[in-house]
Amino acid sequence: MYLHHPTREDFDLPTVLHALSDPQRLRIVVSLAEHDEPARCGSFGLDVTKSTLTHHFRVLREAGVITQELVGTSKLNSLRREDLDACFPGLLDAVLASALTAAA
Amino acid sequence: MYLHHPTREDFDLPTVLHALSDPQRLRIVVSLAEHDEPARCGSFGLDVTKSTLTHHFRVLREAGVITQELVGTSKLNSLRREDLDACFPGLLDAVLASALTAAA
Protein backbone atom coordinates (compact mmCIF):
# COMPACT_ATOMS: atom_id res chain seq x y z
CA MET A 1 0.00 0.00 0.00
CA TYR A 2 1.39 3.35 -1.09
CA LEU A 3 0.78 6.25 1.28
CA HIS A 4 1.16 9.66 -0.32
CA HIS A 5 2.74 12.41 1.73
CA PRO A 6 2.90 15.95 0.34
CA THR A 7 6.24 17.73 0.34
CA ARG A 8 6.60 21.10 2.06
CA GLU A 9 6.33 22.77 -1.34
CA ASP A 10 2.86 21.29 -1.71
CA PHE A 11 1.62 22.42 1.69
CA ASP A 12 -1.50 24.57 1.42
CA LEU A 13 -2.78 26.71 4.29
CA PRO A 14 -6.54 26.20 3.70
CA THR A 15 -5.98 22.44 3.39
CA VAL A 16 -4.05 22.31 6.67
CA LEU A 17 -6.67 24.46 8.44
CA HIS A 18 -9.38 22.16 7.11
CA ALA A 19 -7.51 19.10 8.38
CA LEU A 20 -7.34 20.73 11.83
CA SER A 21 -10.97 21.89 11.82
CA ASP A 22 -12.48 18.63 13.11
CA PRO A 23 -12.68 17.86 16.85
CA GLN A 24 -11.55 14.23 16.42
CA ARG A 25 -8.63 15.17 14.20
CA LEU A 26 -7.65 17.92 16.62
CA ARG A 27 -7.64 15.33 19.40
CA ILE A 28 -5.31 13.11 17.36
CA VAL A 29 -2.95 16.02 16.70
CA VAL A 30 -2.93 17.11 20.35
CA SER A 31 -2.20 13.55 21.46
CA LEU A 32 0.65 13.15 18.97
CA ALA A 33 2.12 16.47 20.10
CA GLU A 34 1.90 15.50 23.77
CA HIS A 35 3.48 12.07 23.44
CA ASP A 36 6.00 12.94 20.75
CA GLU A 37 6.34 9.38 19.48
CA PRO A 38 4.68 7.41 16.66
CA ALA A 39 1.30 5.97 17.60
CA ARG A 40 -1.03 3.43 16.02
CA CYS A 41 -4.39 4.61 14.67
CA GLY A 42 -6.31 2.62 17.28
CA SER A 43 -4.45 4.09 20.23
CA PHE A 44 -6.24 7.44 20.47
CA GLY A 45 -9.36 6.31 22.27
CA LEU A 46 -11.69 7.85 19.69
CA ASP A 47 -15.25 6.56 19.71
CA VAL A 48 -15.70 6.31 15.95
CA THR A 49 -15.92 3.50 13.40
CA LYS A 50 -12.75 2.11 11.85
CA SER A 51 -13.60 3.66 8.48
CA THR A 52 -14.15 7.09 10.04
CA LEU A 53 -10.85 6.74 11.86
CA THR A 54 -9.10 5.79 8.60
CA HIS A 55 -10.69 8.83 6.93
CA HIS A 56 -9.47 11.22 9.65
CA PHE A 57 -5.89 9.92 9.44
CA ARG A 58 -5.93 10.15 5.65
CA VAL A 59 -7.12 13.79 5.77
CA LEU A 60 -4.32 14.61 8.21
CA ARG A 61 -1.69 12.79 6.12
CA GLU A 62 -2.78 14.27 2.79
CA ALA A 63 -2.71 17.78 4.28
CA GLY A 64 0.84 17.20 5.55
CA VAL A 65 -0.05 17.29 9.24
CA ILE A 66 1.12 13.73 9.95
CA THR A 67 3.23 10.99 8.43
CA GLN A 68 1.93 7.44 8.32
CA GLU A 69 4.40 4.57 8.21
CA LEU A 70 3.32 1.02 7.47
CA VAL A 71 4.55 -1.44 10.07
CA GLY A 72 3.17 -4.91 9.40
CA THR A 73 -0.59 -4.46 9.18
CA SER A 74 -0.61 -1.25 11.25
CA LYS A 75 0.07 2.36 10.48
CA LEU A 76 2.30 4.38 12.78
CA ASN A 77 1.39 8.05 12.91
CA SER A 78 3.73 10.95 13.64
CA LEU A 79 3.22 14.69 13.72
CA ARG A 80 5.13 16.64 11.04
CA ARG A 81 5.95 19.36 13.51
CA GLU A 82 9.14 20.60 11.84
CA ASP A 83 7.53 20.77 8.42
CA LEU A 84 4.46 22.56 9.77
CA ASP A 85 6.57 25.02 11.78
CA ALA A 86 8.70 25.74 8.71
CA CYS A 87 5.73 26.39 6.43
CA PHE A 88 3.31 28.02 8.88
CA PRO A 89 5.36 29.53 11.73
CA GLY A 90 3.46 29.61 15.00
CA LEU A 91 0.31 28.01 13.62
CA LEU A 92 0.61 24.57 15.18
CA ASP A 93 1.64 25.99 18.56
CA ALA A 94 -1.32 28.37 18.56
CA VAL A 95 -3.73 25.60 17.60
CA LEU A 96 -2.32 23.23 20.22
CA ALA A 97 -2.43 25.88 22.95
CA SER A 98 -6.03 26.77 22.10
CA ALA A 99 -7.06 23.12 21.91
CA LEU A 100 -5.52 22.39 25.31
CA THR A 101 -7.15 25.47 26.86
CA ALA A 102 -10.52 24.42 25.47
CA ALA A 103 -10.09 20.90 26.84
CA ALA A 104 -9.00 22.08 30.29
CA MET B 1 -32.94 41.09 9.56
CA TYR B 2 -31.35 39.65 12.69
CA LEU B 3 -27.68 38.70 12.42
CA HIS B 4 -26.50 36.29 15.08
CA HIS B 5 -23.01 36.78 16.49
CA PRO B 6 -21.60 34.25 18.96
CA THR B 7 -20.18 35.52 22.23
CA ARG B 8 -16.59 34.69 23.20
CA GLU B 9 -17.95 31.96 25.49
CA ASP B 10 -19.45 30.26 22.44
CA PHE B 11 -16.26 30.36 20.37
CA ASP B 12 -15.23 26.90 19.23
CA LEU B 13 -11.74 26.18 17.87
CA PRO B 14 -12.74 23.63 15.19
CA THR B 15 -15.50 25.97 13.99
CA VAL B 16 -13.08 28.89 13.69
CA LEU B 17 -10.49 26.74 11.91
CA HIS B 18 -13.19 25.55 9.53
CA ALA B 19 -14.24 29.14 8.80
CA LEU B 20 -10.61 29.96 7.96
CA SER B 21 -10.07 26.82 5.86
CA ASP B 22 -11.43 28.22 2.60
CA PRO B 23 -9.26 30.27 0.21
CA GLN B 24 -11.96 32.88 -0.43
CA ARG B 25 -12.77 33.29 3.26
CA LEU B 26 -9.06 33.57 4.04
CA ARG B 27 -8.81 36.32 1.45
CA ILE B 28 -11.67 38.20 3.12
CA VAL B 29 -10.00 37.88 6.53
CA VAL B 30 -6.60 38.98 5.22
CA SER B 31 -8.18 42.00 3.54
CA LEU B 32 -10.09 43.00 6.68
CA ALA B 33 -6.90 42.66 8.73
CA GLU B 34 -4.91 44.77 6.28
CA HIS B 35 -7.37 47.62 6.01
CA ASP B 36 -8.60 47.61 9.58
CA GLU B 37 -11.93 49.24 8.80
CA PRO B 38 -15.41 47.89 8.08
CA ALA B 39 -15.94 46.84 4.48
CA ARG B 40 -18.97 45.94 2.37
CA CYS B 41 -19.38 42.35 1.15
CA GLY B 42 -18.95 43.38 -2.46
CA SER B 43 -15.67 45.20 -1.92
CA PHE B 44 -13.31 42.22 -1.76
CA GLY B 45 -12.97 41.57 -5.47
CA LEU B 46 -13.94 37.91 -5.15
CA ASP B 47 -15.04 36.23 -8.36
CA VAL B 48 -17.98 34.29 -6.91
CA THR B 49 -21.75 34.51 -7.12
CA LYS B 50 -23.63 36.72 -4.68
CA SER B 51 -25.09 33.70 -2.89
CA THR B 52 -21.64 32.13 -2.47
CA LEU B 53 -20.36 35.43 -1.13
CA THR B 54 -23.26 35.63 1.32
CA HIS B 55 -22.50 32.06 2.42
CA HIS B 56 -18.82 32.83 3.06
CA PHE B 57 -19.63 35.90 5.17
CA ARG B 58 -22.24 33.97 7.13
CA VAL B 59 -19.75 31.18 7.91
CA LEU B 60 -17.23 33.76 9.12
CA ARG B 61 -19.83 35.59 11.23
CA GLU B 62 -21.31 32.47 12.79
CA ALA B 63 -17.83 31.24 13.75
CA GLY B 64 -17.08 34.57 15.43
CA VAL B 65 -14.40 35.64 12.97
CA ILE B 66 -16.24 38.77 11.80
CA THR B 67 -19.07 41.04 12.83
CA GLN B 68 -21.65 42.11 10.28
CA GLU B 69 -23.54 45.36 10.78
CA LEU B 70 -26.55 46.28 8.71
CA VAL B 71 -26.26 49.71 7.15
CA GLY B 72 -29.17 50.40 4.85
CA THR B 73 -29.29 47.50 2.43
CA SER B 74 -25.60 46.64 2.88
CA LYS B 75 -23.65 44.71 5.48
CA LEU B 76 -20.47 46.16 6.88
CA ASN B 77 -17.93 43.51 7.87
CA SER B 78 -15.27 43.84 10.56
CA LEU B 79 -12.69 41.42 11.89
CA ARG B 80 -13.19 40.38 15.54
CA ARG B 81 -9.48 40.56 16.18
CA GLU B 82 -9.65 41.27 19.92
CA ASP B 83 -12.13 38.48 20.53
CA LEU B 84 -10.12 35.99 18.47
CA ASP B 85 -6.84 36.98 20.13
CA ALA B 86 -8.44 36.61 23.56
CA CYS B 87 -9.84 33.16 22.85
CA PHE B 88 -7.11 31.75 20.62
CA PRO B 89 -3.86 33.61 21.39
CA GLY B 90 -1.54 33.80 18.40
CA LEU B 91 -3.84 31.90 16.06
CA LEU B 92 -5.04 34.77 13.88
CA ASP B 93 -1.56 36.25 13.60
CA ALA B 94 -0.11 32.88 12.55
CA VAL B 95 -2.85 32.36 9.98
CA LEU B 96 -2.47 35.90 8.59
CA ALA B 97 1.32 35.60 8.38
CA SER B 98 1.07 32.24 6.59
CA ALA B 99 -1.62 33.51 4.24
CA LEU B 100 0.45 36.57 3.32
CA THR B 101 3.57 34.44 2.78
CA ALA B 102 1.64 32.08 0.53
CA ALA B 103 0.23 35.01 -1.46
CA ALA B 104 3.64 36.69 -1.85
Coordinates of all heavy atoms in Angstrom, one line a residue, chain A residues 12-15 17-23 26 87-92 94-99 101-102, chain B residues 12-15 17-23 26 87-92 94-99 101-102:
Chain A
D12 N -0.5 23.6 1.8 CA -1.5 24.6 1.4 C -2.2 25.0 2.7 O -2.8 24.1 3.4 CB -2.5 24.0 0.4 CG -3.6 24.9 0.1 OD1 -3.4 26.0 -0.5 OD2 -4.8 24.5 0.3
L13 N -2.2 26.3 3.0 CA -2.8 26.7 4.3 C -4.3 26.3 4.5 O -4.6 25.8 5.5 CB -2.6 28.2 4.4 CG -3.1 28.9 5.7 CD1 -2.5 28.3 7.0 CD2 -2.9 30.4 5.7
P14 N -5.1 26.6 3.5 CA -6.5 26.2 3.7 C -6.7 24.7 3.9 O -7.5 24.3 4.8 CB -7.2 26.6 2.4 CG -6.4 27.7 1.9 CD -5.0 27.4 2.2
T15 N -5.9 23.9 3.2 CA -6.0 22.4 3.4 C -5.6 22.0 4.8 O -6.2 21.1 5.4 CB -5.1 21.7 2.3 OG1 -5.5 22.2 1.0 CG2 -5.2 20.2 2.4
L17 N -5.6 24.0 7.5 CA -6.7 24.5 8.4 C -7.9 23.6 8.4 O -8.5 23.3 9.4 CB -7.1 25.9 8.1 CG -6.0 26.9 8.3 CD1 -6.4 28.3 7.8 CD2 -5.7 27.1 9.8
H18 N -8.2 23.1 7.2 CA -9.4 22.2 7.1 C -9.1 20.9 7.9 O -9.9 20.3 8.6 CB -9.7 21.9 5.7 CG -10.8 20.8 5.5 ND1 -12.1 21.0 5.8 CD2 -10.7 19.5 5.2 CE1 -12.8 19.9 5.7 NE2 -11.9 19.0 5.3
A19 N -7.9 20.3 7.7 CA -7.5 19.1 8.4 C -7.6 19.3 9.9 O -8.0 18.3 10.6 CB -6.1 18.7 8.0
L20 N -7.3 20.5 10.4 CA -7.3 20.7 11.8 C -8.7 21.1 12.3 O -8.9 21.3 13.5 CB -6.3 21.8 12.2 CG -4.9 21.5 11.9 CD1 -4.0 22.7 12.1 CD2 -4.4 20.4 12.8
S21 N -9.7 21.3 11.4 CA -11.0 21.9 11.8 C -12.0 20.9 12.3 O -13.2 21.2 12.3 CB -11.5 22.7 10.6 OG -12.0 21.8 9.6
D22 N -11.6 19.7 12.6 CA -12.5 18.6 13.1 C -12.1 18.2 14.5 O -10.9 18.0 14.8 CB -12.4 17.4 12.2 CG -13.2 16.3 12.7 OD1 -12.7 15.5 13.5 OD2 -14.4 16.2 12.3
P23 N -13.0 18.1 15.5 CA -12.7 17.9 16.9 C -11.9 16.5 17.0 O -11.0 16.5 17.8 CB -14.0 17.8 17.5 CG -15.0 18.5 16.7 CD -14.5 18.4 15.3
L26 N -8.4 17.1 15.7 CA -7.6 17.9 16.6 C -7.2 17.1 17.8 O -6.0 17.3 18.3 CB -8.6 19.0 17.2 CG -8.5 20.4 16.5 CD1 -9.4 21.4 17.2 CD2 -7.0 20.9 16.5
C87 N 6.6 25.8 7.4 CA 5.7 26.4 6.4 C 4.8 27.4 7.0 O 4.4 28.4 6.3 CB 5.0 25.3 5.8 SG 6.0 24.2 4.8
F88 N 4.3 27.2 8.2 CA 3.3 28.0 8.9 C 3.8 28.4 10.3 O 3.2 27.8 11.3 CB 2.0 27.3 8.9 CG 1.6 26.6 7.6 CD1 1.5 25.3 7.5 CD2 1.3 27.4 6.5 CE1 1.1 24.7 6.3 CE2 0.9 26.8 5.3 CZ 0.8 25.4 5.2
P89 N 4.8 29.3 10.4 CA 5.4 29.5 11.7 C 4.3 29.9 12.8 O 3.5 30.8 12.5 CB 6.3 30.7 11.4 CG 6.7 30.5 10.0 CD 5.4 30.0 9.3
G90 N 4.3 29.2 13.9 CA 3.5 29.6 15.0 C 2.1 29.0 14.9 O 1.3 29.0 15.9
L91 N 1.7 28.5 13.8 CA 0.3 28.0 13.6 C 0.0 26.8 14.5 O -1.0 26.8 15.3 CB 0.0 27.7 12.2 CG -1.4 27.2 11.9 CD1 -2.4 28.2 12.2 CD2 -1.5 26.7 10.4
L92 N 0.9 25.8 14.4 CA 0.6 24.6 15.2 C 0.6 24.9 16.7 O -0.3 24.4 17.4 CB 1.6 23.5 14.8 CG 1.4 22.1 15.5 CD1 0.1 21.5 15.1 CD2 2.6 21.2 15.3
A94 N -0.1 27.6 18.2 CA -1.3 28.4 18.6 C -2.5 27.4 18.6 O -3.4 27.5 19.5 CB -1.6 29.5 17.6
V95 N -2.6 26.5 17.6 CA -3.7 25.6 17.6 C -3.7 24.7 18.8 O -4.7 24.4 19.5 CB -3.7 24.8 16.3 CG1 -4.7 23.6 16.4 CG2 -4.1 25.7 15.1
L96 N -2.5 24.1 19.1 CA -2.3 23.2 20.2 C -2.7 23.9 21.5 O -3.4 23.4 22.4 CB -0.9 22.7 20.3 CG -0.5 21.7 19.2 CD1 1.0 21.4 19.3 CD2 -1.3 20.4 19.3
A97 N -2.2 25.1 21.7 CA -2.4 25.9 23.0 C -3.9 26.1 23.1 O -4.5 26.0 24.2 CB -1.7 27.2 22.9
S98 N -4.6 26.5 22.0 CA -6.0 26.8 22.1 C -6.8 25.5 22.3 O -7.8 25.5 23.1 CB -6.5 27.4 20.8 OG -6.0 28.7 20.6
A99 N -6.4 24.4 21.7 CA -7.1 23.1 21.9 C -6.9 22.6 23.4 O -7.9 22.1 24.0 CB -6.5 22.1 21.0
T101 N -6.4 24.6 26.0 CA -7.1 25.5 26.9 C -8.6 25.1 26.8 O -9.3 25.0 27.9 CB -7.0 26.9 26.4 OG1 -5.6 27.3 26.4 CG2 -7.7 27.9 27.3
A102 N -9.1 24.8 25.6 CA -10.5 24.4 25.5 C -10.8 23.1 26.2 O -11.9 22.9 26.7 CB -10.9 24.3 24.0
Chain B
D12 N -15.6 28.3 19.3 CA -15.2 26.9 19.2 C -14.1 26.8 18.2 O -14.2 27.2 17.1 CB -16.4 26.1 18.8 CG -16.1 24.6 18.5 OD1 -15.7 24.0 19.5 OD2 -16.3 24.2 17.4
L13 N -13.0 26.2 18.7 CA -11.7 26.2 17.9 C -12.0 25.5 16.5 O -11.6 26.0 15.5 CB -10.6 25.5 18.7 CG -9.3 25.4 17.9 CD1 -8.7 26.7 17.5 CD2 -8.2 24.6 18.8
P14 N -12.5 24.3 16.5 CA -12.7 23.6 15.2 C -13.6 24.5 14.3 O -13.4 24.5 13.1 CB -13.4 22.3 15.5 CG -13.0 22.0 16.9 CD -12.9 23.4 17.6
T15 N -14.6 25.1 14.8 CA -15.5 26.0 14.0 C -14.7 27.2 13.4 O -14.9 27.5 12.2 CB -16.7 26.5 14.8 OG1 -17.4 25.3 15.4 CG2 -17.7 27.3 14.0
L17 N -11.4 27.3 12.9 CA -10.5 26.7 11.9 C -11.2 26.4 10.6 O -10.7 26.6 9.5 CB -9.8 25.5 12.5 CG -8.8 25.8 13.6 CD1 -8.3 24.4 14.2 CD2 -7.6 26.6 13.2
H18 N -12.4 25.9 10.7 CA -13.2 25.5 9.5 C -13.5 26.8 8.7 O -13.4 26.9 7.5 CB -14.5 24.8 9.9 CG -15.4 24.6 8.7 ND1 -15.1 23.7 7.7 CD2 -16.5 25.3 8.3 CE1 -16.0 23.8 6.7 NE2 -16.9 24.7 7.1
A19 N -13.9 27.9 9.5 CA -14.2 29.1 8.8 C -13.0 29.7 8.0 O -13.2 30.3 7.0 CB -14.7 30.2 9.8
L20 N -11.8 29.4 8.6 CA -10.6 30.0 8.0 C -10.1 29.0 6.9 O -9.1 29.3 6.2 CB -9.5 30.2 9.0 CG -9.9 31.2 10.1 CD1 -8.8 31.2 11.2 CD2 -10.0 32.6 9.5
S21 N -10.7 27.9 6.7 CA -10.1 26.8 5.9 C -10.5 26.9 4.4 O -10.3 25.9 3.6 CB -10.4 25.4 6.4 OG -11.8 25.1 6.1
D22 N -11.0 28.0 4.0 CA -11.4 28.2 2.6 C -10.6 29.4 2.0 O -10.5 30.4 2.6 CB -12.9 28.5 2.6 CG -13.4 28.8 1.1 OD1 -13.3 30.0 0.8 OD2 -13.8 27.9 0.4
P23 N -10.1 29.2 0.8 CA -9.3 30.3 0.2 C -10.0 31.6 0.1 O -9.3 32.7 0.3 CB -8.9 29.7 -1.2 CG -9.1 28.2 -1.1 CD -10.2 28.0 0.0
L26 N -10.4 33.1 3.6 CA -9.1 33.6 4.0 C -8.7 34.9 3.4 O -8.2 35.8 4.1 CB -8.0 32.6 3.6 CG -7.5 31.6 4.7 CD1 -6.4 30.7 4.1 CD2 -7.1 32.2 6.0
C87 N -9.4 34.6 22.8 CA -9.8 33.2 22.8 C -8.8 32.2 22.3 O -8.6 31.1 22.8 CB -11.2 32.9 22.1 SG -12.5 33.8 22.8
F88 N -8.1 32.6 21.3 CA -7.1 31.7 20.6 C -5.8 32.5 20.4 O -5.5 32.9 19.3 CB -7.7 31.2 19.3 CG -9.1 30.7 19.3 CD1 -10.1 31.4 18.7 CD2 -9.4 29.6 20.0 CE1 -11.4 30.9 18.7 CE2 -10.7 29.1 20.1 CZ -11.7 29.8 19.4
P89 N -5.0 32.7 21.5 CA -3.9 33.6 21.4 C -2.9 33.2 20.3 O -2.5 32.0 20.2 CB -3.2 33.5 22.8 CG -4.3 33.1 23.7 CD -5.2 32.2 22.8
G90 N -2.5 34.1 19.4 CA -1.5 33.8 18.4 C -2.1 33.2 17.1 O -1.4 33.1 16.1
L91 N -3.3 32.6 17.2 CA -3.8 31.9 16.1 C -4.0 32.8 14.8 O -3.6 32.5 13.7 CB -5.2 31.2 16.4 CG -5.8 30.4 15.3 CD1 -4.9 29.2 14.9 CD2 -7.2 29.9 15.7
L92 N -4.8 33.9 15.0 CA -5.0 34.8 13.9 C -3.8 35.3 13.3 O -3.6 35.3 12.0 CB -6.0 35.9 14.3 CG -6.4 36.8 13.2 CD1 -7.2 36.1 12.1 CD2 -7.2 38.0 13.7
A94 N -0.8 34.0 13.3 CA -0.1 32.9 12.6 C -0.8 32.6 11.2 O -0.1 32.4 10.2 CB -0.1 31.6 13.4
V95 N -2.1 32.6 11.2 CA -2.9 32.4 10.0 C -2.6 33.5 9.0 O -2.3 33.3 7.8 CB -4.4 32.2 10.3 CG1 -5.2 32.2 9.0 CG2 -4.6 30.9 11.0
L96 N -2.7 34.7 9.5 CA -2.5 35.9 8.6 C -1.1 35.9 8.0 O -0.9 36.1 6.8 CB -2.7 37.2 9.4 CG -4.2 37.5 9.7 CD1 -4.2 38.7 10.7 CD2 -5.0 37.7 8.5
A97 N -0.1 35.6 8.8 CA 1.3 35.6 8.4 C 1.5 34.5 7.3 O 2.1 34.7 6.3 CB 2.3 35.4 9.6
S98 N 0.9 33.3 7.6 CA 1.1 32.2 6.6 C 0.3 32.6 5.3 O 0.8 32.3 4.2 CB 0.5 30.9 7.2 OG 1.4 30.5 8.3
A99 N -0.8 33.2 5.4 CA -1.6 33.5 4.2 C -0.9 34.6 3.4 O -0.9 34.5 2.2 CB -3.0 34.0 4.6
T101 N 2.4 35.1 3.4 CA 3.6 34.4 2.8 C 3.2 33.6 1.5 O 3.9 33.7 0.5 CB 4.2 33.5 3.8 OG1 4.5 34.2 5.0 CG2 5.5 32.9 3.3
A102 N 2.1 32.9 1.7 CA 1.6 32.1 0.5 C 1.3 32.9 -0.7 O 1.4 32.6 -1.8 CB 0.5 31.2 0.9

